Amino acid sequence: MLKLKIEKSENLEKQQTLFSSNLSKLFQESKDNGILRIILYPSLENIISGLILFNVALNLNIKPSISIKLNVPQKINEPTILIGYSSLNYKASDVSSALISLAHEINGIPVGNSTFIEINGSIGSGIYLALKGSDIINVRPEYAILSMASSYASKYVDDAGKFYSLDDLVVNTVISNDDNLKMETITGLKIFRPLSMNLCKSLSITLNPIYLTLSNEDACEKYLKENGLENLINGNIGKIDDETMKNLIISIISLMKKISKKNIEPYDYAGAMEVSTSRIVMEDPREVMYSIMLLMDTMGFGSTVGLIADYENEYPQIIHYLKDAVSKSSDIILNNKFSKVNQINFGKVYTVDEDNLPIGAIQRQLKILGLIEKDGILGYLNNNVLKLPVLSFEESMGYNSASRFIQAFKADFDGDFIWVKIA
């Protein structure tokens, strides 16, 4: 039994070594038992972190299972990793197999063969540090991208792209010193694949309301020609000079004013982001983060695991899903296809009339544009049953809100969505 705190401090190396050692032992026990259970509290950060460990297990020829649960299992009878649970009250008789629990804070005392690890940073950054400090597996460049996606999904990166706490250490030392990654800091437009696609193709797959009116490639090329920016049609922003970038951003701001109900600040569209210039499947951590959210909303957690965890064979398909999501999001927002539900008293709820939409991405975009409140919730209403994506619900209402809400309103939860009847 052991409880650790992973943070930027003089004790980090010692704590990292203990974390790596216990993680290695758990994977070995999983090999011996033929199974590893990974159980996540529903949040984007936790899911990304769990996918790192899921992929590691697959590459160690361990049979992993991964699931989203509001509550931890009562008994630990198989090697298990818990992610995101802040309150644990196991007795020694409850834990008969190896257990590692990862969270930002854990109220509870480890018993039996359990290790509780508090991480002052994103969970993904802590996992990446533990993997780099061990001989568990050859740490692939994609694990770094997933780790950074976990950072972007957490509170440890600000709007300007600055990393904090443990994430600052991991990104600016461990990752930046890895020659296999070749990370580059991009400032200016926050678009997906800025170094490998031309500007209009990048805009067509980027889930960001700043570019709604330019998300159609033909419309984008026409706009660039009309505004004296035709030299960008076949170029990417990695090759744009400062003056051209300035003119492009000014032009985009003028477009934004037509659809936004608030003053768009520079950090909403300009800032720093890390992108890999090496030839790897995953090159943009923010793209990975948004892809997980849209796949959860449209295809469910099982399909998300398949596409993200098997990144070598499946992830290349993500371009198709991103392009479709951008098109659907643009249609909902530009044509005002959402409405407020007044008979609900538990929050500021808005609904769309179509199911299987990238609700989380649309909700984020509506907030950026000031079209719904910061704590607004977007869902799908059908026959007085409201369907709410759990990730966007947690994002709007705060961490652990889904668990409290489901208990208070006797709602149902299927791992992806909250279902609640309304009068």
Side-chain angles (χ1 to χ4, degrees):
M1 63 188 77
L2 183 66
K3 190 170 186 178
L4 305 173
K5 190 173 185 68
I6 307 298
E7 60 183 345
K8 279 179 70 174
S9 70
E10 58 186 19
N11 295 320
L12 176 60
E13 186 174 349
K14 178 182 177 182
Q15 301 295 299
Q16 177 190 350
T17 300
L18 289 169
F19 184 5
S20 299
S21 173
N22 280 271
L23 189 60
S24 180
K25 289 176 183 176
L26 182 135
F27 278 121
Q28 184 57 54
E29 184 167 328
S30 298
K31 277 186 178 181
D32 297 340
N33 284 267
I35 191 169
L36 169 65
R37 288 199 303 168
I38 303 170
I39 302 173
L40 321 166
Y41 183 81
S43 86
L44 193 54
E45 178 192 353
N46 294 340
I47 289 170
I48 297 169
S49 305
L51 288 171
I52 300 173
L53 295 170
F54 185 85
N55 187 276
V56 170
L58 287 176
N59 283 290
L60 291 174
N61 295 316
I62 296 169
K63 183 181 178 182
S65 71
I66 185 167
S67 58
I68 297 174
K69 304 287 184 183
L70 293 173
N71 301 300
V72 298
Q74 293 181 342
K75 302 280 186 180
I76 303 296
N77 299 318
E78 298 164 325
T80 301
I81 298 174
L82 304 175
I83 301 180
Y85 299 96
S86 57
S87 182
L88 299 176
N89 297 296
Y90 286 117
K91 300 175 184 176
S93 58
D94 297 330
V95 182
S96 59
S97 191
L99 166 66
I100 288 181
S101 182
L102 308 171
H104 298 301
E105 182 179 355
I106 302 176
N107 297 314
I109 300 172
V111 295
N113 189 14
S114 62
T115 304
F116 292 178
I117 300 173
E118 298 178 325
I119 300 176
N120 185 17
S122 69
I123 305 298
S125 69
I127 291 171
Y128 185 74
L129 207 58
L131 291 173
K132 288 291 284 187
S134 73
D135 58 359
I136 295 172
I137 195 170
N138 180 29
V139 181
R140 303 182 178 198
E142 281 79 7
Y143 293 168
I145 300 298
L146 283 165
S147 166
M148 293 176 66
S150 171
S151 297
Y152 280 112
S154 74
K155 63 182 180 181
Y156 296 98
V157 183
D158 64 19
D159 291 313
K162 179 175 172 57
F163 291 78
Y164 293 90
S165 300
L166 189 67
D167 296 70
D168 175 58
L169 174 72
V170 171
V171 171
N172 291 313
T173 57
V174 182
I175 290 178
S176 64
N177 291 333
D178 189 336
D179 292 335
N180 293 320
L181 276 165
K182 299 176 183 175
M183 300 302 292
E184 183 170 332
T185 302
I186 302 294
T187 57
L189 301 181
K190 291 183 176 181
I191 57 178
F192 298 163
R193 310 206 178 192
L195 301 177
S196 59
M197 285 185 172
N198 68 45
L199 178 63
C200 290
K201 285 188 179 298
S202 295
L203 292 175
S204 74
I205 65 166
T206 302
L207 292 162
N208 189 320
I210 307 299
Y211 316 123
L212 284 179
T213 55
L214 298 176
S215 58
N216 178 281
E217 287 185 58
D218 290 337
C220 173
E221 291 183 7
K222 180 181 177 183
Y223 180 82
L224 293 178
K225 290 177 182 177
E226 290 175 347
N227 288 270
L229 297 166
E230 58 273 1
N231 61 315
L232 299 180
I233 291 176
N234 295 314
N236 61 54
I237 67 166
K239 299 177 182 178
I240 296 177
D241 60 80
D242 291 343
E243 186 64 25
T244 304
M245 177 67 80
K246 176 184 174 182
N247 292 334
L248 177 61
I249 290 177
I250 290 172
S251 185
I252 288 175
I253 291 173
S254 68
L255 280 177
M256 281 302 303
K257 290 179 179 178
K258 297 177 182 178
I259 57 174
S260 176
K261 286 194 174 181
K262 72 172 189 178
N263 291 325
I264 303 297
E265 297 295 333
Y267 62 72
D268 283 327
Y269 60 89
M273 66 178 194
E274 301 286 343
V275 178
S276 176
T277 60
S278 56
R279 297 176 65 86
I280 56 178
V281 179
M282 294 176 175
E283 58 190 48
D284 184 343
R286 292 168 56 258
E287 176 190 290
V288 173
M289 178 187 74
Y290 276 99
S291 297
I292 290 172
M293 179 179 285
L294 81 89
L295 291 171
M296 284 278 292
D297 288 352
T298 57
M299 299 176 64
F301 183 58
S303 297
T304 304
V305 171
L307 275 166
I308 303 296
D310 185 7
Y311 52 79
E312 290 181 337
N313 300 307
E314 299 295 334
Y315 189 78
Q317 300 179 52
I318 204 64
I319 290 292
H320 165 75
Y321 296 106
L322 285 168
K323 203 174 186 74
D324 185 58
V326 170
S327 176
K328 289 180 177 178
S329 299
S330 300
D331 180 47
I332 295 292
I333 296 170
L334 293 176
N335 295 309
N336 204 33
K337 292 184 177 180
F338 63 95
S339 56
K340 189 169 186 178
V341 183
N342 294 318
Q343 67 265 40
I344 294 176
N345 59 10
F346 57 74
K348 300 162 186 172
V349 178
Y350 297 80
T351 60
V352 291
D353 295 329
E354 184 181 344
D355 199 4
N356 297 319
L357 290 173
I359 294 287
I362 295 171
Q363 177 178 286
R364 281 191 171 195
Q365 295 177 65
L366 290 172
K367 289 180 181 181
I368 291 174
L369 295 171
L371 299 175
I372 68 174
E373 298 86 352
K374 189 175 181 180
D375 57 350
I377 308 166
L378 189 65
Y380 169 66
L381 181 62
N382 185 37
N383 294 327
N384 290 329
V385 176
L386 184 62
K387 176 184 177 183
L388 301 167
V390 67
L391 295 186
S392 50
F393 185 92
E394 283 272 322
E395 187 175 87
S396 289
M397 304 299 284
Y399 195 76
N400 208 34
S401 57
S403 181
R404 296 192 301 269
F405 175 83
I406 289 168
Q407 185 175 11
F409 290 89
K410 296 182 173 56
D412 295 321
F413 177 61
D414 63 6
D416 298 312
F417 299 96
I418 300 168
W419 304 79
V420 59
K421 291 184 180 180
I422 62 173

